[in-house]
């Protein structure tokens, strides 16, 4: 087991903040306030979550786990919704998607005995799945919006040739999914070679053997990969329809120059 | 029953268009012209339901436009836009897009379509990225023709092209109108082009039809100050 970080040592972390702060001041980047604020906010958030987790880990699993998962999914839904601003029902669709995806992943973990149904295992692992799914949904939404904007002419052409919205959106759906999935395939390819994944690093620092750490890392990496893919596909297929009305017309289009 | 009246607009309102009342007969080649922002493109998109009126009704062959299947209507009333808006892939991919949606593609059609727009047959396998602007616009026209439309909506299809290519496209359009009886409804900024292709003119300004009628009469004897100003 590695030595515990004392509060005194922790204080010296201030040095890590002083470096960017000095740079910002010296080069007049105007970031000093932001750096100070985010460092303090981040520290408080982490301590708060640390105490909350300590409390939750002591609760019975059937209370602590649903409680924390609900909070995580709710916060993630509101965050991902920002990327889909202007699209109707997006919050509800994200929320349901995250519940189903997290529920399925958790179900598989438990079914195949990969983790125990205890707060200290389920909550951090689920946090990673929910967080990554949230990012994937946000990116897919952003991409979907920009693809629809960029390809307005092509979509109009497809509709005018007699395509239904699903057929007209084919290229956009492919591109959105490709853009969302390719970085994850690449990430998986270089895993462990470029940088040791966070969870594995944490476990090794915590004294777990590298092989055991890798096993956990594999579970989480592949689960995230699958959750991210599902999130991107789900949100893209659910949301592209909202760019059309029920008369197979593109919404919010200005045709006249 | 053959309806002489192809389209009838009955009190149609669609921002920025005010109350529009007019008919288009089979075989009319209608030129829509007027200053920018007059509502020409908005009007054009009403013919194949790429948008719908806020108020009023449009009739096609005597029946309310709303009563037709949207996809069938759009096949029959084709659109060619100012930009080619080709789909990624080859020329062939683009040509077969429309018919394939309804399982009606016949590969023997491909060469005839290219011939109709005066492109060589070996263009079929070319990527659309390799084509010049004029060639892309021809492919765009051929792609619309692949659906065998009986009405062709054209939204300034030659405005981005040079004089030579414009003339060639005009020849193709003239041929379609004369030989195949396709009705042309075209937005154009160029009165010379309107004269060459049209039989009937509709002059729009600020969302209203200011003058309409036989194109030659309209242009030789403009009655309103707006049209006179537009022509100078």
């Amino acid at each position: 087991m590695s030595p515990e970080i004392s509060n005194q040592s922790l204080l010296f972390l201030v040095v890590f903040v002083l470096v960017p702060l000095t740079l910002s001041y010296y080069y007049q980047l105007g970031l000093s306030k932001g750096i100070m604020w985010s460092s303090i906010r981040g520290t408080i958030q982490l301590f708060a979550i640390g105490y909350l987790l300590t409390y939750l880990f002591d609760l019975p699993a059937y209370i602590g786990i649903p409680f924390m998962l609900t909070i995580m999914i709710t916060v993630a839904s509101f965050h991902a919704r920002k990327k889909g601003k202007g699209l109707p029902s997006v919050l509800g669709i994200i929320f349901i998607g995250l519940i189903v995806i997290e529920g399925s992943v958790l179900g598989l973990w438990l079914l195949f005995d990969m983790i125990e149904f205890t707060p200290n295992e389920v909550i951090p692992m689920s946090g990673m799945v929910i967080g990554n799914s949230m990012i994937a949904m946000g990116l897919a939404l952003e991409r979907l919006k920009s693809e629809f904007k960029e390809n307005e002419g092509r979509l109009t052409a497809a509709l005018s040739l007699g395509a239904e919205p699903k057929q007209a959106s084919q290229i956009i759906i492919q591109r959105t999914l490709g853009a969302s999935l390719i970085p994850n395939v690449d990430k998986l390819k270089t895993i462990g070679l470029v940088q040791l994944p966070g969870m594995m690093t944490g476990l090794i620092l915590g004294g777990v053997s590298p092989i055991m750490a890798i096993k956990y890392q594999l579970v989480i990496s592949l689960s995230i990969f699958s959750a991210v893919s599902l999130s991107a596909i789900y949100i893209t297929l659910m949301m592209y329809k909202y760019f059309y009305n029920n008369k197979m017309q593109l919404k919010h289009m200005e045709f006249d120059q | 029953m053959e309806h002489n009246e192809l389209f009838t607009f009955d009190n149609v309102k669609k921002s920025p268009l005010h109350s529009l009342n007019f008919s288009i007969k089979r075989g009319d080649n209608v030129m829509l012209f007027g200053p920018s922002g007059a509502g020409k493109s908005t009007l054009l998109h009403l013919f194949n339901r790429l948008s719908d009126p806020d108020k009023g009704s449009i009739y096609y062959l005597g029946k309310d436009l709303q009563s037709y299947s949207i996809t069938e209507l759009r096949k029959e009333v084709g659109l060619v836009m100012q930009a080619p808006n080709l789909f990624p892939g080859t020329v062939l991919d683009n040509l077969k897009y429309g018919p394939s949606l309804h399982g009606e593609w016949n590969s023997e059609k491909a060469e005839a379509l290219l011939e109709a727009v005066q492109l060589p047959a070996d263009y079929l396998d070319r990527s659309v990225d390799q084509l010049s602007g004029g060639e892309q616009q021809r492919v765009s026209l051929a792609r619309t023709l692949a659906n065998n439309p009986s009405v062709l909506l054209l939204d300034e299809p030659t405005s981005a092209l040079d004089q030579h290519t414009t003339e060639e496209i005009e020849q193709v359009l003239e041929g379609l109108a004369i030989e195949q009886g396709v009705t042309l409804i075209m937005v154009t900024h160029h009165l010379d082009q309107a004269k060459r292709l049209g039989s009937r003119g509709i002059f729009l300004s600020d969302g209203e039809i200011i003058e309409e009628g036989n194109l030659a009469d309209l242009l030789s004897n403009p009655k309103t100050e707006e049209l006179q100003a537009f022509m100078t």
Side-chain angles (χ1 to χ4, degrees), chain B residues 109-146:
Chain B
K109 245 173 121 176
E111 288 185 15
L113 283 167
L114 282 190
E115 203 185 318
V117 295
Q118 300 173 357
L119 281 177
D122 63 358
Y123 268 52
L124 279 178
D125 294 324
R126 286 205 190 177
S127 159
V128 294
D129 301 330
Q130 297 172 333
L131 308 180
S132 70
E135 289 167 341
Q136 288 193 1
Q137 191 59 305
R138 284 166 209 243
V139 173
S140 164
L141 177 58
R143 179 178 67 179
T144 304
L145 295 178

Side-chain angles (χ1 to χ4, degrees), chain A residues 186-197 217-218 221:
Chain A
D186 287 344
K187 215 161 123 186
L188 212 56
K189 264 191 233 161
T190 57
I191 196 166
L193 296 177
V194 180
Q195 60 173 357
L196 289 181
Q217 188 61 52
L218 264 179
S221 290

